[in-house]
Amino acid sequence: MGRVTETIDAVAALVAAGGVVVVSGAGLSTESGIPDYRGPTGVARRHTPMTYQAFVGDAAARRRYWARSHLGWRTIVGARPNAGHRAVARLQDAGLVDGVITQNVDGLHTAAGSGQVVELHGRLDTVVCLGCGDRTSRGELDRRLVAANPGFDAAFAVVNPDGDVDLDDDRVAGFRMVDCGCCGAGMLKPDVVFFGETVPAARVARCFAMVDAARAVLVLGSSLTVLSGRRFVLRAAKSGIPVVIANQGVTRGDGYAALRVDAPLGRFLPVLADRVAAVVPPGSGLLAAG
Ligand SMILES: [Zn+2]
């Protein structure tokens, strides 16, 4: 325990100096009931992740995606921020965190009250028309899908972070997708970055600018498996900006980390925020937030 305490104190000292940019991943949302399929407690994903190419090129694959996603949406929309998200928002209120880059598509950082959040891979609660570009809320699409598929439900046990669920082919075949409500013809896609798709360049540039201006980068709940998130750690390390990684299990960024914490984030982050509150000047928002 002595070693762990020393690590938390070291992380607290770094965070208390301010200028922190958070890079978060699925591990931060597991305690909100959204499983991390790459984490130590996560189950392996049974389906190959949908690629952009399969989604736009294969009507059957698209129907399967939407049928599963329609059911998985119940879990996503019911998820609430956990103590970890709230601790990040608290550090931000205290002026110590300048921004959040998240790989999560669940919107839970914003729901917890964080600002300056870049949702690298988009948000599941927004739907985009690939024909006319119209963006609508997932809630609106959900109402249309419920109307188009009366009585459609299925027992499902596994929900992945992108809202995917297991569903047999017979049920998929009975699912009716709807077209864009604006142009009446366009293909609808969740406004998230699929595998095989690239993050918009302007969004990546904004993230690099945040990292370049940071005094420290704090990685929360990401195994940094995909370059999409890992590149920000590499960028920071190259510039000599200290990187702290808090994640359950090893990550592909561990070799670049000044400090490593292996703990559930819903427990670690409130403790960290308390430690930081003990070292920042009196009168800050952090102390008031208690
Ligand atoms: Zn449209």
Side-chain angles (χ1 to χ4, degrees), residues 50 54-55 57-68 169 172-173:
M50 172 68 70
F55 187 86
D58 181 349
R62 198 159 58 242
R63 179 201 302 272
R64 196 178 315 122
Y65 175 88
W66 275 117
R68 287 196 194 121
D169 290 347
V172 171

Side-chain angles (χ1 to χ4, degrees), residues 129 132 180 183 186:
C129 170
C132 72
C180 172
C183 67

Side-chain angles (χ1 to χ4, degrees), residues 128-135 179-188:
V128 62
C129 170
L130 297 182
C132 72
D134 185 51
R135 278 182 166 76
D179 288 323
C180 172
C182 183
C183 67
M187 190 185 291
L188 295 179

Side-chain angles (χ1 to χ4, degrees), residues 10-276:
V11 176
L14 206 56
V15 171
V20 175
V21 167
V22 167
V23 175
S24 72
L28 186 59
S29 290
T30 50
E31 288 160 83
S32 290
I34 300 175
D36 174 7
Y37 58 90
R38 288 197 182 96
T41 59
V43 290
R45 178 191 276 271
R46 286 180 213 178
H47 305 281
T48 309
M50 172 68 70
T51 64
Y52 179 78
Q53 290 71 21
F55 187 86
V56 299
D58 181 349
R62 198 159 58 242
R63 179 201 302 272
R64 196 178 315 122
Y65 175 88
W66 275 117
R68 287 196 194 121
S69 177
H70 182 56
L71 297 172
W73 177 240
R74 304 282 165 268
T75 296
I76 301 290
V77 81
R80 295 290 173 265
N82 63 53
H85 296 106
R86 290 195 297 273
V88 170
R90 196 177 149 202
L91 292 169
Q92 200 167 15
D93 281 347
L96 304 175
V97 170
D98 291 343
V100 177
I101 299 166
T102 187
Q103 298 171 283
N104 299 339
V105 294
D106 52 37
L108 293 178
H109 276 294
T110 334
S114 276
Q116 299 298 316
V117 179
V118 180
E119 287 159 323
L120 199 58
H121 297 157
R123 285 179 71 115
L124 265 186
D125 65 2
T126 308
V127 177
V128 62
C129 170
L130 297 182
C132 72
D134 185 51
R135 278 182 166 76
T136 48
S137 81
R138 180 63 181 268
E140 171 61 24
L141 175 66
D142 192 58
R143 284 188 286 279
R144 294 180 63 211
L145 288 177
V146 167
N149 296 277
F152 184 86
D153 64 345
F156 60 94
V158 180
V159 176
N160 290 315
D162 60 358
D164 198 9
V165 300
D166 288 317
L167 189 63
D168 65 46
D169 290 347
D170 289 349
R171 288 188 192 270
V172 171
F175 187 77
R176 214 186 127 227
M177 191 46 201
V178 297
D179 288 323
C180 172
C182 183
C183 67
M187 190 185 291
L188 295 179
K189 177 182 169 291
D191 198 10
V192 298
V193 176
F194 278 26
F195 283 83
E197 200 177 1
T198 53
V199 178
R203 203 180 293 169
V204 175
R206 187 182 165 198
C207 294
F208 276 135
M210 285 165 72
V211 169
D212 290 344
R215 291 182 55 172
V217 169
L218 178 58
V219 177
L220 303 175
S222 175
S223 55
L224 300 169
T225 306
V226 288
L227 187 62
S228 173
R230 192 168 69 249
R231 58 186 155 183
F232 303 118
V233 166
L234 299 177
R235 177 83 157 220
K238 204 172 170 185
S239 311
I241 297 165
V243 174
V244 178
I245 298 180
N247 184 64
Q248 281 193 279
V250 296
T251 82
R252 284 191 66 184
D254 288 356
Y256 304 95
L259 295 162
R260 266 286 279 133
V261 178
D262 194 324
L265 295 170
R267 270 193 276 159
F268 166 68
L269 289 172
V271 171
L272 174 67
D274 287 344
R275 287 297 164 87
V276 172

